[in-house]
Each structure stands twice: as C-alpha cells, then as structure tokens.
Amino acid sequence: MQTLAQRWTLLERGMTVVGPDDDRPRPAVILFHGCGGLRGHLPRYAEAAKVAGWRAFIVDSYGPRGWSRQFAMATVCTGLILRGWQRAGDVLAALDGISRRPDVSSDKIVLAGWSHGGWGIMEAMSSDRKPGMLGVADPDGISLKGVIGAYLAYPYIGVAALNRMRPWKHCPRTLAVIARTDHLTTVRNAEKVHAMVRNCGVEVETWIAEGTHSFDEPMTAPPMRYHPELTAEALRRFSALLTDVAAAPPA
C-alpha cells in the first residue's frame, strides 16, 4: 500500500498548475475531476481561480495510473474500482504535496470536487483516517487545518456513498451545488446530506442549479446536458467563494 508521499509522487506527474506568474505564496485551490476523468470544464475553473489571485492545481487521478477515459467509464463510474473512500487517498496526498510547495499559502487551501471528486473530498473530511484506510498507509499524516473551504459540484451521494451521512471531522466553509434534475440523487437527498455538514457549525451554502448532473461540462450525453448560462453562474459562485474565504480571518 502506498504512503501519502508515494501517492503524491504518482499524482504529481499528471498535475496541471494554473496561476499568477510569480513564486510568492498564494492561496491554492485543488481541483478533482469526476468519474469520467479530466474534461474541458476544469481548466475554466482554474482560470477563474487565477483571476482571483489563487493558484489552481488540477489533479488527474487516471493518467498517472495508466487509465483511459473508456476504462474509467467502465470501472470507476460503475463503482467497480476507486470508490470515494479510496479517492480520498488522492485528496489527502495532493493536499500534502501541494501544501509543501513554497508558492502556496498552506493555511489557505480550498478543495474542489466534481461528482466523484466531491465524493472523495467528503470521505476525506469525514473519515477517522486510521492507518491503512482511504487507500494509503498513513492517511493521518496530513492535517486538514489549512483547508478553509470546499466546493462540491453535484457530488456523488448516491447509494454507493455509504458514508454520506457521516459527520465531518473538519468543517470548512462549503459551497454545495445541487443539480435539480440530477439522475444520481434527488434534491431531497442532497439537501439532507448538506444539512448534516451544516450541523457541525460551518457555513454551508447550497445552490440548486436548474440543470442536469454535469451541467457545466461542455458535452451532451443524455440524461446529462450542458447548460452555458448555469455554467457561467457556477463559475461566478466558485470565484466568490475563493474571494470570501481568502478575506476571512483565521479560524
């Protein structure tokens, strides 16, 4: 089983960095794609983060493992491998590695996840993180203290997300995007899950977007459909979250 450092060595090879052209420490947002892998929408969010003065790190969980989109669609999207609790190992490893960079303010980090990526973030927030859990040998080797925000875009909280109602251990300010016609969850289920997160005393903003799952991904694969206007609003809310948490005083 890999350690956090070994997992980061793997993931770093497929990471994309977007941000201001300097080397001074800046707040960082780490982006985790959905089960279908890297798609055209994540770079748009990374550019929005750059405009806000943040560094954005797009983490590819598939390329470094040698997985194609077709393989991931047939295995990850169907729940055969790399379930959310295992993806949490990628979240923690990326957080560990990126926090150590000299051009990152380690006390101002936001985790952003789309669908399966959001599932992984939620597992990282709620797990007891005992040795050997979350797909890495030492999940307790990184503190979540520097995580000041979370952006969850239509996170997967369906029947396979067995821990979706498990209280979070670390509770940063959170923006949760719910898709009205998401075929993977009902709005009622999503609101129930996000209310649970809110119970730990943190601000959780929920936005019900009048679209489908993956409405911000530039493709149409029924029942999912791209919605440019909702995408623009999602980008605006994402940028606002970064601006707000960067200006907030330390907890």
Side-chain angles (χ1 to χ4, degrees), residues 193-248:
V193 171
H194 299 315
M196 176 276 297
V197 178
R198 191 176 291 113
N199 283 341
C200 73
V202 68
E203 180 181 350
V204 178
E205 176 189 352
T206 56
W207 171 47
I208 301 177
E210 300 295 329
T212 68
H213 192 82
S214 297
F215 65 82
D216 57 345
E217 186 175 332
M219 60 85 185
T220 295
M224 297 176 288
R225 185 175 297 277
Y226 176 59
H227 197 301
E229 291 79 14
L230 290 177
T231 299
E233 179 62 12
L235 285 162
R236 187 194 70 77
R237 289 173 180 261
F238 173 80
S239 297
L241 174 67
L242 299 185
T243 299
D244 290 348
V245 297

Side-chain angles (χ1 to χ4, degrees), residues 36-94:
L38 289 178
R39 307 294 284 163
H41 56 322
L42 260 60
R44 296 188 63 183
Y45 287 90
E47 286 296 332
K50 177 181 177 180
V51 171
W54 286 57
R55 299 199 192 285
F57 299 85
I58 303 175
V59 177
D60 180 2
S61 287
Y62 297 165
R65 288 181 165 95
W67 297 353
S68 67
R69 173 172 167 78
Q70 291 72 25
F71 176 83
M73 293 289 288
T75 57
V76 182
C77 292
T78 57
L80 294 178
I81 62 173
L82 199 67
R83 292 201 170 193
W85 63 269
Q86 296 166 309
R87 186 80 183 279
D90 285 14
V91 173
L92 295 175

Side-chain angles (χ1 to χ4, degrees), residues 78-207:
T78 57
L80 294 178
I81 62 173
L82 199 67
R83 292 201 170 193
W85 63 269
Q86 296 166 309
R87 186 80 183 279
D90 285 14
V91 173
L92 295 175
L95 175 62
D96 186 31
I98 291 168
S99 295
R100 298 175 187 273
R101 291 176 57 111
D103 60 349
V104 166
S105 297
S106 60
D107 60 343
K108 288 189 175 182
I109 293 180
V110 166
L111 301 178
W114 285 255
S115 192
H116 191 281
W119 183 13
I121 290 172
M122 296 181 80
E123 292 280 353
M125 293 294 185
S126 63
S127 173
D128 290 332
R129 295 203 285 149
K130 297 177 181 178
M133 294 179 66
L134 307 185
V136 290
D138 55 342
D140 57 341
I142 172 67
S143 171
L144 296 174
K145 185 178 180 180
V147 178
I148 59 173
Y151 179 82
L152 304 175
Y154 38 83
Y156 178 73
I157 48 175
V159 294
L162 302 179
N163 301 317
R164 60 187 178 276
M165 289 302 295
R166 185 168 59 188
W168 287 15
K169 309 289 194 227
H170 179 71
C171 304
R173 179 171 173 178
T174 299
L175 171 56
V177 179
I178 301 170
R180 174 75 72 184
T181 55
D182 196 326
H183 64 291
L184 298 177
T185 181
T186 63
V187 171
R188 181 178 180 181
N189 178 52
E191 290 184 323
K192 182 179 178 181
V193 171
H194 299 315
M196 176 276 297
V197 178
R198 191 176 291 113
N199 283 341
C200 73
V202 68
E203 180 181 350
V204 178
E205 176 189 352
T206 56
W207 171 47

